């Protein structure tokens, strides 16, 4: 049986993760891989309910409450969806994962990274992605894109200073994890972004 692969896409809101994830899923399927497309927070029944809760714009939550909900969702998602798929030799493509917790709850909301890493390890049982593709782009131009799309949620409403911190957080993580995280320029034409992502995927599948 093939070895399963766990691949995550990270990046700020509006960086094109969903579109690119779909493209990568099709690319893999055309080459005979069994692909599972999923996302965090969410991806399993309980985790999708936790997603509704944690992203509810009517609710305000302190950063610890929010963190524990993301992690509870992650633990269920891994147990129900990700681990079984990897055990069956499938390729799991996941929109966001542990790096998002370090960036949003750590770099941005100010919780300690060392504590968050321990909590992440507890929620995941130590499972890490084989490859993380980080879609990086200028926050102002990404904000303009979001406006064009008319998308709003709690995080997307936080403004430019927030998005600049998000970008810096992701780039710091990429610098500290060069083996796992690949930075892709999300401001290129969609096709060029896809081509860069596929190149990274090919390298992983050959390795
Ligand atoms: P999405 O819009 O990409 O689906 O993600 C929902 C929001 O959740 C996004 O703004 C980032 C945030 N988030 C965290 O703050 N911590 C996490 O651990 C995850 C997975 C997402």
């Amino acid at each position: 049986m093939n070895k399963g692969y766990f691949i995550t896409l990270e990046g700020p809101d509006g960086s094109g993760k969903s579109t690119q994830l779909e493209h990568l899923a099709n690319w893999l399927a055309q080459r005979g891989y069994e692909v599972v497309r999923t996302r965090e927070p969410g991806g399993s029944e309980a985790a999708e309910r936790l997603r509704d809760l944690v992203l509810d714009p009517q609710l305000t939550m302190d950063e610890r409450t929010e963190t524990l909900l993301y992690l509870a969702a992650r633990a269920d998602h891994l147990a129900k969806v990700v681990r079984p798929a990897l055990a069956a030799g499938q390729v799991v493509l996941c929109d966001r994962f542990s790096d998002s917790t370090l960036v949003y709850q750590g770099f941005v909301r100010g919780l300690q990274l060392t504590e968050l890493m321990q909590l992440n390890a507890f929620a995941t049982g130590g499972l890490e992605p084989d490859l993380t593709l980080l879609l990086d782009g200028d926050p102002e131009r990404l904000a303009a894109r979001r406006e064009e799309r008319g998308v709003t949620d709690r995080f997307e409403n936080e403004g430019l200073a927030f998005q600049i911190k998000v970008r810096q957080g992701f780039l710091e993580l990429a610098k500290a994890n060069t083996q796992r995280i690949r930075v892709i320029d999300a401001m290129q034409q969609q096709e060029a972004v896809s081509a860069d992502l596929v190149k990274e995927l090919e390298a992983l599948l050959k390795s």
Side-chain angles (χ1 to χ4, degrees):
M1 186 184 294
N2 284 334
K3 173 192 177 303
Y5 289 98
F6 184 29
I7 299 161
T8 58
L9 262 83
E10 296 277 6
D13 299 302
S15 55
K17 281 187 283 86
S18 320
T19 312
Q20 294 298 341
L21 198 118
E22 193 176 333
H23 180 266
L24 288 181
N26 291 337
W27 187 89
L28 283 162
Q30 280 161 13
R31 279 152 192 84
Y33 289 93
E34 272 189 66
V35 185
V36 174
R37 280 177 53 180
T38 189
R39 67 172 179 181
E40 289 210 353
S44 63
E45 199 180 343
E48 286 293 331
R49 291 208 206 167
L50 288 165
R51 177 189 175 93
D52 289 343
L53 186 64
V54 76
L55 296 179
D56 184 343
Q58 309 288 328
L59 290 174
T60 53
M61 271 177 218
D62 82 356
E63 58 276 14
R64 286 171 195 269
T65 312
E66 182 182 283
T67 300
L68 292 169
L69 289 176
Y70 282 116
L71 293 172
R74 181 160 304 138
D76 190 73
H77 178 223
L78 286 188
K80 303 266 174 54
V81 175
V82 178
R83 283 188 195 282
L86 294 175
Q90 297 171 343
V91 181
V92 177
L93 287 178
C94 187
D95 188 340
R96 297 194 184 280
F97 191 59
S98 299
D99 296 312
S100 278
T101 310
L102 298 180
V103 168
Y104 289 91
Q105 281 65 55
F107 286 99
V108 178
R109 300 254 185 249
L111 293 178
Q112 276 199 14
L113 289 181
T114 47
E115 285 183 346
L116 289 174
M117 284 184 219
Q118 285 166 3
L119 289 166
N120 255 332
F122 176 75
T124 62
L127 182 71
E128 289 205 14
D130 297 297
L131 175 68
T132 296
L133 300 162
L134 169 60
L135 292 178
D136 174 63
D138 174 65
E140 265 185 273
R141 288 174 62 199
L142 288 174
R145 262 202 216 172
R146 277 199 303 281
E147 213 161 295
E148 273 169 35
R149 290 187 341 205
V151 180
T152 50
D153 72 18
R154 189 148 59 91
F155 287 89
E156 290 173 339
N157 284 333
E158 306 249 10
L160 191 59
F162 176 94
Q163 296 298 345
I164 289 172
K165 273 199 208 161
V166 168
R167 183 187 201 191
Q168 284 168 347
F170 275 125
L171 289 176
E172 275 198 40
L173 288 184
K175 228 191 281 169
N177 297 276
T178 48
Q179 281 297 318
R180 174 175 63 84
I181 304 180
R182 300 275 181 275
V183 183
I184 307 292
D185 176 5
M187 302 315 307
Q188 307 174 83
Q189 292 293 319
Q190 209 165 291
E191 294 72 25
V193 177
S194 297
D196 281 359
L197 292 169
V198 161
K199 225 184 284 166
E200 297 297 345
L201 211 53
E202 279 179 320
L204 173 74
L205 299 172
K206 270 188 215 139
S207 67

